[in-house]
Amino acid sequence: WETCWFKVELSIPQAWAGREVHFVWESDGEGMVWRDGQPVQGLTKEGEKTSYILTSSLKESEPHSLTLYVELACNGLFGAGKGSMIAPPDPDRRFTLSKAELVIFNRDVYELLVDLEILLDMAQLLGEENQRSFQALYTANQMVNMCDVTDPSTFPAARDLAAAIFSQRNGESQHTIHAVGHCHIDSAWLWPYEETIRKCARSWVTVVRLMEHNPELTFACSQLRLISVLWQAQQFEWVRTWYPGLYAQIQEFVAKEQFIPVGGTWVEMDGNLPSGESMVRQFLQGQLFFQEQFGRICSEFWLPDTFGYSAQLPQLMLGCGIRRFLTQKLSWNLVNTFPHHTFFWEGIDGSQVLTHFPPGDSYGMHGRVEEMLKTVKNNKDKGRVNHSALLFGFGDGGGGPTQKMLDRMKRMSDTDGLPRVQISTPDRLFSVLEKESSQLCTWVGELFLELHNGTYTTQAQIKKGNRECERILHDVEVLSTLAVARGGAFQYPASQLQRLWRLLLLNQFHDVLPGSCIQLVVEDALQYYTEIRSVGARLQEEAVQSLCRELLQPKAGSTESTLVLNTLPWERTEVISRTGPAGTETLALVTVPSMGYAIVREPLLPPQPVAVRKQEDGSIAMENGVIAVCLDMMGRLTSLRVGDSERESVPDGCYANQFALFDDVPLYWDAWDVMDYHLETRKPVTMLLKPLEITLAGGLRGSASFSLQIGKSSTLTQEIILDATCPYLRFLTQVEWKEAHKFLKVEFPVQVRSTNATYEIQFGHLQRPTHWNTSWDWARFEVWAHKWLDLSEHGFGVALLNDCKYGASAHGNILSLSL
């Protein structure tokens, strides 16, 4: 990630008057040309950007001697790995500058070659049954015969032959492709957050140069606020001085409706794992930014590259002023081909949004004939709609459109035998689709990606940090709002909360929260979570001090008391742990009203204390009058019953809380994937290091703990806790994980029969089948959930809750949580 600066002094020969002059730079590291203190051109060999146009026709009045600076980064378009695209950064990798030249660019030869490329592609791809393929072939042949490469005067006649073919028009029924410039830049992935700032600058300055020469070019940009997100953070304040000139130019092209902000969210976040509130904040912060910077909100939600889409998103979109959605990721499905490219997507409350998947199944097209033909052939909604999108430009690591892409598509704007191609905007496309929408189909429920199921579990600390910080920010806001409502001098910490939310939202980017990023990004993300925890705890303390100042003042002669706050909207009766005057931990049973507080002096007595008994066979039984459980020496649950009911929740001969280890060797995407065949490698964890022993003997709380060895060198310690009056059993699990290419789960077989299990999602829940009747069913062998999954039949059910996990499954009668 180091940067080298080259000072380049150029002297253009007088003899080159009237010629087009380029500065050519080829290196395997990304670069940027600076001129007069401003960035003027991005350089990326993998993105076919290796030159800076000094002049299109050298005039006497133009400077013939000038100085440029080239900033060269020690990373390519896809980071600094070696060998494979998704290899981690290699500290020993060297980057080479292979060419730095001042050259004459022969525009006539270039145009001839583009003509010839289009004709040859038509000849090859339109097929023998199509007369246009032969017309293109014979025209190309004539051009070659006519053209004398040593005599430029023969070029115009050859080009006229090509122009005659390109000017033969289509009929009225021909499909129209709306081509939109695009440059997908991952906010962090194979490179850290800071490198993304430079990637944005390289890509966008190149787009600005293209727009200066091609006023018809439109460019949809969904990550504009990335520079802003880093500006908001204090430690990145210096970024503001990096590219102010470029940012001003971008704003000019936004006003001309060429540079088009799309997306509506703060970053292109993961579509599954953020909480409902987090998703609302993504839209809120994104739409606020667009309103402030560009005077309008987005009408399209643009999320082309995340790993599935929650069934709650349509309702959230409509609530945030968005009725249109574009993605293409479901084209990556490993098992089933998604049946539509243009359709209405319906969420869990019945909300519908018009949805379009570009039929070329990519957000990084190059404007080739092959891509245009694929877009039409592949379209699953032929006859229903006659328009579709094509997003062109290098992506993932940035890059964006090139002049050659535009020149190819100019020749295909309305050429018989090819679909019409027009440079367009997302708004123009969706406006036409809305008019044609009367026959469109509707897809109800989640858009589940049948790939990358491992991202629900990869990088456990990131998953835990996300869930904890979502909870912290909720609590701070509840308590701060109550403190403001009570009056007094308390100031709501709006700017501090916005900064913390934006850090959390940044970490929900679709390669950070899923864990599909390099270690350097993980370290940045964990540092942001640490900051949110630290500042959040301080803000919470300030709100509590203001809200409960009188309650916190010790009264003369009063007994020792504890203030307990409940930030959830229902009354809770729970056992809490509090520190006594001597520093010892004591337990108390408390009841606290919804969004309220209670002062605990004399703790409540439970209607029935927890009883813990050790049996002769080493097993331990615990009950509290609400539930009764039995655990064997390995900590496995052999019995779980509700109160006086005789109904057993654990089937005979089965063990719940059974840990199982699986091989995890995917086909390619290591951090992303867990394949269905991993299920064939199940090995129950049975190596006991420390058998189950009672740790708390009952009363307000009973508990027992044990330790297991997992695999070759990992250990697991678990404390199983039953509190007085509590309707559930808690499992505090600590794993020292040292395995590679292994996958740890915990399983709970239950005596419940249902064809569907219920999973919590954002602001709601979703049912998924527990059987594998169809390919659509078994492709969901590993799914995501938020805080719970539940298997119920009429009048009875068992739920599995968690505080930091997302990967889960329910097959048959077995509930499984991926650890």
Side-chain angles (χ1 to χ4, degrees):
W1 317 113
E2 292 294 317
T3 299
C4 309
W5 285 86
F6 292 80
K7 182 179 182 181
V8 183
E9 295 181 331
L10 301 174
S11 184
I12 305 172
Q14 295 287 346
W16 289 9
R19 309 300 294 270
E20 182 172 339
V21 183
H22 290 196
F23 166 56
V24 171
W25 178 280
E26 285 188 19
S27 61
D28 48 8
E30 292 190 276
M32 175 99 89
V33 181
W34 292 72
R35 183 174 181 174
D36 301 326
Q38 292 296 327
V40 291
Q41 178 66 50
L43 299 168
T44 304
K45 189 175 179 181
E46 299 132 300
E48 296 180 6
K49 295 174 186 66
T50 55
S51 66
Y52 168 53
I53 301 174
L54 294 168
T55 174
S56 55
S57 178
L58 184 63
K59 299 180 182 65
E60 186 65 38
S61 60
E62 288 184 280
H64 285 48
S65 296
L66 66 154
T67 300
L68 304 175
Y69 290 87
V70 177
E71 175 193 17
L72 183 60
C74 289
N75 54 270
L77 195 64
F78 290 99
K82 210 177 204 176
S84 158
M85 179 184 79
I86 56 171
D90 180 357
D92 297 322
R93 182 172 166 186
R94 296 290 180 268
F95 290 83
T96 306
L97 169 61
S98 52
K99 187 182 286 186
E101 295 177 353
L102 196 59
V103 303
I104 292 171
F105 184 79
N106 193 322
R107 181 68 57 180
D108 292 336
V109 171
Y110 163 83
E111 298 288 2
L112 256 180
L113 290 172
V114 177
D115 286 345
L116 202 61
E117 177 197 300
I118 300 295
L119 290 170
L120 292 175
D121 281 352
M122 287 174 68
Q124 187 176 4
L125 298 167
L126 286 176
E128 288 189 15
E129 69 283 357
N130 191 325
Q131 68 170 359
R132 286 292 278 171
S133 69
F134 288 95
Q135 291 171 355
L137 178 64
Y138 282 96
T139 300
N141 192 55
Q142 280 180 280
M143 288 173 67
V144 172
N145 291 339
M146 182 177 286
C147 203
D148 180 352
V149 294
T150 64
D151 182 4
S153 67
T154 62
F155 296 172
R159 289 212 62 207
D160 289 344
L161 290 172
I165 283 277
F166 298 143
S167 63
Q168 291 173 327
R169 301 300 177 216
N170 274 299
E172 287 185 17
S173 65
Q174 185 58 272
H175 187 85
T176 300
I177 290 174
H178 294 249
V180 182
H182 191 243
C183 173
H184 183 68
I185 303 176
D186 285 322
S187 299
W189 177 30
L190 301 171
W191 49 86
Y193 284 127
E194 275 190 49
E195 181 56 31
T196 310
I197 303 167
R198 297 197 292 186
K199 282 182 173 288
C200 289
R202 289 181 205 118
S203 303
W204 298 342
V205 76
T206 302
V207 169
V208 166
R209 291 290 84 76
L210 281 173
M211 285 178 174
E212 289 170 350
H213 295 101
N214 303 270
E216 78 282 2
L217 171 61
T218 60
F219 179 74
C221 180
S222 59
Q223 297 278 0
L224 246 183
R225 59 220 160 272
L226 184 73
I227 286 183
S228 175
V229 80
L230 297 172
W231 281 349
Q232 300 296 335
Q234 288 178 1
Q235 65 266 48
F236 290 109
E237 186 60 36
W238 42 267
V239 177
R240 189 186 292 276
T241 59
W242 277 23
Y243 311 112
L246 170 60
Y247 197 67
Q249 288 177 295
I250 287 170
Q251 287 182 305
E252 287 175 25
F253 283 105
V254 169
K256 294 177 184 174
E257 297 188 350
Q258 283 182 264
F259 208 108
I260 303 162
V262 293
T265 51
W266 188 246
V267 294
E268 289 185 8
M269 77 278 194
D270 181 81
N272 299 323
L273 309 188
S275 69
E277 187 60 38
S278 289
M279 283 192 167
V280 170
R281 301 303 174 113
Q282 287 283 359
F283 284 108
L284 175 66
Q285 295 292 337
Q287 295 287 52
L288 274 174
F289 177 80
F290 288 122
Q291 185 68 53
E292 289 168 4
Q293 294 289 314
F294 309 115
R296 66 177 186 84
I297 63 170
C298 291
S299 55
E300 302 89 17
F301 181 33
W302 195 275
L303 196 59
D305 191 34
T306 194
F307 313 139
Y309 304 88
S310 166
Q312 183 58 281
L313 275 168
Q315 181 178 191
L316 297 180
M317 279 186 245
L318 287 184
C320 299
I322 293 175
R323 311 189 68 85
R324 303 156 165 181
F325 175 47
L326 183 140
T327 185
Q328 60 79 51
K329 197 64 178 187
L330 263 65
S331 65
W332 285 47
N333 271 8
L334 207 57
V335 182
N336 299 285
T337 302
F338 194 78
H340 302 295
H341 282 102
T342 307
F343 58 99
F344 285 105
W345 179 24
E346 185 175 302
I348 60 173
D349 73 322
S351 297
Q352 290 191 348
V353 291
L354 179 59
T355 300
H356 182 67
F357 297 175
D361 294 341
S362 170
Y363 49 69
M365 297 291 207
H366 295 168
R368 294 183 176 277
V369 171
E370 179 181 12
E371 296 164 348
M372 306 304 164
L373 296 176
K374 179 183 177 183
T375 293
V376 177
K377 182 181 179 183
N378 209 32
N379 188 0
K380 300 282 191 303
D381 298 282
K382 295 182 189 77
R384 295 192 181 99
V385 289
N386 205 22
H387 294 255
S388 60
L390 180 136
L391 308 181
F392 65 94
F394 287 94
D396 289 332
T402 66
Q403 185 64 51
K404 184 175 273 189
M405 294 175 190
L406 286 165
D407 292 337
R408 287 172 182 143
M409 289 186 290
K410 284 173 188 171
R411 289 158 171 79
M412 292 184 266
S413 62
D414 191 2
T415 296
D416 188 22
L418 297 175
R420 280 193 189 86
V421 182
Q422 56 179 243
I423 302 296
S424 186
T425 67
D427 181 59
R428 262 180 255 157
L429 167 71
F430 276 104
S431 295
V432 176
L433 292 177
E434 283 165 353
K435 289 174 186 167
E436 296 183 344
S437 66
S438 62
Q439 296 185 67
L440 290 178
C441 299
T442 299
W443 181 270
V444 179
E446 67 182 328
L447 295 173
F448 186 85
L449 179 65
E450 297 171 356
L451 192 70
H452 295 353
N453 319 55
T455 58
Y456 318 144
T457 306
T458 297
Q459 292 291 356
Q461 289 301 323
I462 284 184
K463 306 295 193 285
K464 187 179 175 73
N466 180 71
R467 184 80 64 81
E468 283 185 3
C469 290
E470 286 176 336
R471 179 184 58 74
I472 288 166
L473 292 178
H474 166 272
D475 288 356
V476 170
E477 290 189 336
V478 166
L479 294 166
S480 298
T481 304
L482 291 172
V484 169
R486 281 205 68 195
F490 183 78
Q491 292 288 310
Y492 189 84
S495 60
Q496 293 175 79
L497 277 167
Q498 172 160 288
R499 175 180 153 67
L500 297 184
W501 265 112
R502 287 182 171 183
L503 285 178
L504 180 61
L505 300 180
L506 180 62
N507 274 355
Q508 289 173 347
F509 179 74
H510 66 250
D511 277 310
V512 180
L513 179 52
S516 49
C517 52
I518 59 171
Q519 186 63 27
L520 202 57
V521 178
V522 174
E523 289 165 7
D524 282 346
L526 296 181
Q527 187 180 331
Y528 290 157
Y529 291 135
T530 300
E531 183 176 343
I532 295 167
R533 287 184 183 106
S534 161
V535 177
R538 177 174 57 76
L539 294 178
Q540 182 171 302
E541 180 63 25
E542 288 170 5
V544 169
Q545 288 293 337
S546 173
L547 183 63
C548 308
R549 185 172 287 110
E550 300 84 16
L551 300 171
L552 293 167
Q553 300 300 326
K555 303 281 192 298
S558 67
T559 56
E560 188 70 27
S561 62
T562 304
L563 176 68
V564 184
L565 296 161
N566 176 14
T567 54
L568 293 178
W570 59 84
E571 181 180 272
R572 293 158 67 191
T573 299
E574 291 180 19
V575 174
I576 63 160
S577 175
R578 54 180 183 159
T579 307
T584 54
E585 292 286 315
T586 59
L587 299 175
L589 181 65
V590 299
T591 296
V592 189
S594 157
M595 294 286 189
Y597 69 88
I599 295 173
V600 183
R601 290 191 178 89
E602 296 300 323
L604 300 174
L605 291 173
Q608 183 174 333
V610 180
V612 183
R613 298 186 311 278
K614 186 162 188 175
Q615 321 277 28
E616 289 180 9
D617 61 359
S619 65
I620 291 173
M622 294 195 280
E623 58 183 305
N624 64 359
V626 184
I627 58 172
V629 302
C630 191
L631 303 155
D632 73 3
M633 289 177 65
M634 296 182 63
R636 298 176 303 190
L637 200 56
T638 56
S639 173
L640 170 60
R641 285 182 294 105
V642 177
D644 299 327
S645 165
E646 292 304 310
R647 174 145 187 182
E648 179 55 66
S649 303
V650 181
D652 283 347
C654 293
Y655 301 104
N657 195 38
Q658 171 68 66
F659 294 93
L661 197 61
F662 299 80
D663 291 344
D664 177 27
V665 187
L667 297 174
Y668 178 68
W669 299 97
D670 201 350
W672 290 257
D673 282 352
V674 56
M675 312 307 293
D676 57 340
Y677 53 75
H678 87 281
L679 296 168
E680 299 172 19
T681 65
R682 177 183 181 273
K683 295 180 184 66
V685 177
T686 56
M687 186 163 295
L688 199 58
L689 293 178
K690 180 173 151 296
L692 189 71
E693 291 291 345
I694 295 172
T695 46
L696 283 174
L700 287 178
R701 175 172 292 170
S703 68
S705 66
F706 66 97
S707 297
L708 298 172
Q709 180 169 327
I710 305 168
K712 291 184 176 171
S713 48
S714 301
T715 56
L716 178 149
T717 300
Q718 190 179 71
E719 185 179 16
I720 302 171
I721 299 168
L722 182 63
D723 281 346
T725 76
C726 187
Y728 53 82
L729 190 62
R730 282 193 296 148
F731 303 85
L732 297 186
T733 312
Q734 187 75 35
V735 181
E736 189 71 29
W737 185 250
K738 297 178 181 175
E739 304 305 299
H741 293 107
K742 298 291 181 187
F743 193 178
L744 180 66
K745 303 184 186 186
V746 63
E747 300 168 345
F748 288 81
V750 293
Q751 201 148 287
V752 177
R753 183 163 179 78
S754 177
T755 54
N756 288 293
T758 307
Y759 302 79
E760 191 204 22
I761 66 169
Q762 297 84 357
F763 297 136
H765 58 266
L766 189 71
Q767 290 199 323
R768 300 184 180 111
T770 57
H771 55 74
W772 293 345
N773 281 1
T774 70
S775 58
W776 293 88
D777 299 331
W778 70 255
R780 289 186 275 186
F781 59 87
E782 175 81 5
V783 297
W784 61 273
H786 282 196
K787 295 187 285 292
W788 54 263
L789 61 151
D790 166 89
L791 192 64
S792 290
E793 55 191 52
H794 180 68
F796 187 83
V798 179
L800 182 55
L801 292 79
N802 76 85
D803 67 356
C804 61
K805 297 295 168 188
Y806 295 93
S809 65
H811 185 220
N813 68 329
I814 299 176
L815 299 176
S816 177
L817 192 65
S818 299
L819 306 180

